[in-house]
Structure formats: C-alpha cells, structure tokens
Amino acid sequence: EVSSLANAACVLWLMGKQTKSLQVSKQSIQLAVEINHPFTSTYAHFFHGVAYQLSGDIANALLQAEKTIALAKKYDFTFWLPTGEMLKAWALMQENPAEEFLGLFEESLKAHKQTGNRVAIPYFTALLVGCYLLLEKPARALPIIDPCLQQINKTGQRFFEPELYRLKAAALLMSHPHSDKIEHTLQHAIDLATRQSSFTLLLRATYDLCRIWQQQGKGQQAIEKLTAILAQFDDTQASEDLRKAVSLL
C-alpha cells in the first residue's frame, strides 16, 4: 500500500492534481511510519522527496533526500543510496548551482546504473539535464538526451518523455537560439504530453513555447494558449510551475 500511494502521488502530479499529489504522498509516509519497516520507510521517503521535487519545493525535497540517504547507509540499501544522493544533488544545485553538486549527481547516476537497474532513468536524466542548463552547459546536456529517448523506445518508460523533449528544446535555445528545431521540439513535447494527459508536463512545454512567442511579438497568442492550459488546474498557486505560468500572463 505504501508503494501504491507513493506512485499514485507521482501520477496525480502528472495529471495536474498538485495538492492531491502531496496529500497522497504524505499518506504514504504516515503509513510507512506505522509499519516501521526500514526498506518500506526508505522507499516512502525517497518518493516523498520526488513529490516535493516535482512541485518545486527544494527544501523539503532535500530533507527527504537526506532521510533516504541516512536509512540507505544504515541498512546498506545499495539501490536507494544513489537515488537519494541524486535527489540531494538536484536540491543543492537549485540553491547554489556549482560543479561540485553536478559532479555528485553524475557519480550517483553512474552508481545507480551500475546496479543494473533501469527504472526511472528518464526522470533522473531529465534532472541531470536541468542541472547542466542551470550552469549554462547545453553542450553537456544535449548528448545525453537522444540516447535516453532511444532507450525509452526499448523500455516503454514514457512518463517523462515529454519533459526530455522540452529540455532538449531549452538546450537548443541556449546553444543555437535561431534554430528552427526549437519550436518543433517543443511542439512535439506538447503533443506527447497531450496524448498522455500529462497536464503538468503539458504546462511546462507550453510555458516555454509561450515565452518564445512573446519574444516574437505573438503575446496575445501566447496568453490565449497558456490560459487554456491553466484552466485545467484547480489551484494555480499549488506548485512552482503553476506560479511561473500565472506570472507570465
């Protein structure tokens, strides 16, 4: 049941139900505490951290990452240690973008892959790409995106596929700002998110496209498109993504 609740929180976030996502994630933690089973607790803390990461709550994502790491070290959970460290590295990068934390993420992702596990690789790759872009290093971001997208076709782990295309467009915008591939890639991200009913990833890709449109003098078109997406959400202040989108209007 803890696992079901933890994963349901992620699904709810993708569906655009931000407040419900965190509520369900907190239920998974509460249940894990009642069960008092170390592996289950580690699982719950990591996914609770993911729920905070997705919503843009850096401080709480870091807190849950540290709890995951502490439990993983105490009970020698070799799978959960690098996943917790990646989440920690992401949070530290948001607070203070630095090569030190980028290196921690890269090493942790390498350790995660060495366990032979391929679960959630698209998610972790997207986080790493985001970290590269924080340091304005699109040349390091772009080469890892396409191989991950190719791997998705083999594994079927498509839940973060739209986000990888969005980030690819962001990296292209940073490195080749006049490329005609940028809008095409964003539109592909939008199409994928629409087919998946992933309203939050749809919002992210639409936000990026609308920022470009505003710079092109298509402000009214951007407002209309973004307003239509925001209408799918009950609480437009429930996450960092929503707050950013509202501020663009």
Side-chain angles (χ1 to χ4, degrees):
E1 189 175 355
V2 171
S3 173
S4 297
L5 288 168
N7 284 278
C10 296
V11 174
L12 287 165
W13 178 86
L14 288 165
M15 293 171 62
K17 301 182 182 300
Q18 314 291 336
T19 302
K20 184 66 174 177
S21 170
L22 285 174
Q23 289 173 348
V24 169
S25 185
K26 289 174 182 177
Q27 289 175 18
S28 75
I29 286 288
Q30 292 167 357
L31 184 58
V33 170
E34 293 174 11
I35 294 172
N36 192 27
H37 181 258
F39 189 88
T40 302
S41 295
T42 310
Y43 188 108
H45 281 298
F46 172 73
F47 272 91
H48 198 35
V50 169
Y52 281 124
Q53 184 278 318
L54 292 171
S55 67
D57 188 333
I58 299 166
N60 278 312
L62 179 58
L63 177 64
Q64 295 303 316
E66 289 174 336
K67 289 183 177 182
T68 302
I69 293 167
L71 285 166
K73 287 181 176 179
K74 181 176 180 179
Y75 295 102
D76 196 25
F77 294 148
T78 55
F79 173 82
W80 291 113
L81 181 57
T83 57
E85 288 179 335
M86 279 188 280
L87 193 57
K88 178 180 180 178
W90 174 87
L92 293 172
M93 277 291 296
Q94 310 312 302
E95 294 179 338
N96 179 28
E99 280 285 349
E100 173 189 356
F101 305 133
L102 187 57
L104 173 61
F105 199 118
E106 290 172 328
E107 287 302 312
S108 301
L109 180 56
K110 181 180 178 181
H112 175 69
K113 289 180 177 179
Q114 285 175 345
T115 66
N117 201 302
R118 292 295 178 265
V119 173
I121 292 295
Y123 168 71
F124 292 126
T125 301
L127 292 192
L128 179 56
V129 169
C131 289
Y132 283 139
L133 297 183
L134 272 178
L135 289 179
E136 299 184 354
K137 297 184 181 296
R140 290 168 69 180
L142 285 168
I144 70 171
I145 297 174
D146 283 342
C148 186
L149 289 170
Q150 291 166 9
Q151 192 65 27
I152 284 173
N153 290 326
K154 296 179 181 178
T155 64
Q157 294 184 54
R158 298 190 179 279
F159 76 106
F160 239 55
E161 186 179 17
E163 180 70 350
L164 284 166
Y165 277 102
R166 182 190 75 84
L167 290 166
K168 182 177 181 178
L172 287 170
L173 182 62
M174 195 174 287
S175 58
H176 302 89
H178 303 297
S179 172
D180 58 3
K181 294 181 180 179
I182 298 168
E183 286 195 44
H184 175 77
T185 304
L186 278 174
Q187 188 58 56
H188 188 56
I190 288 170
D191 292 343
L192 284 172
T194 301
R195 289 203 295 270
Q196 294 179 5
S197 297
S198 181
F199 293 116
T200 302
L201 297 185
L202 174 61
L203 175 68
R204 285 185 175 183
T206 302
Y207 171 84
D208 285 4
L209 180 61
C210 288
R211 286 187 65 189
I212 292 172
W213 282 358
Q214 284 190 335
Q215 294 168 2
Q216 295 174 344
K218 296 188 286 187
Q220 186 58 39
Q221 187 176 348
I223 289 172
E224 290 174 1
K225 189 172 184 67
L226 197 55
T227 299
I229 301 299
L230 284 169
Q232 305 292 326
F233 296 85
D234 295 329
D235 183 359
T236 55
Q237 296 298 312
S239 72
E240 183 62 24
D241 291 312
L242 286 162
R243 291 188 289 270
K244 281 171 56 180
V246 170
S247 69
L248 189 65
L249 297 178

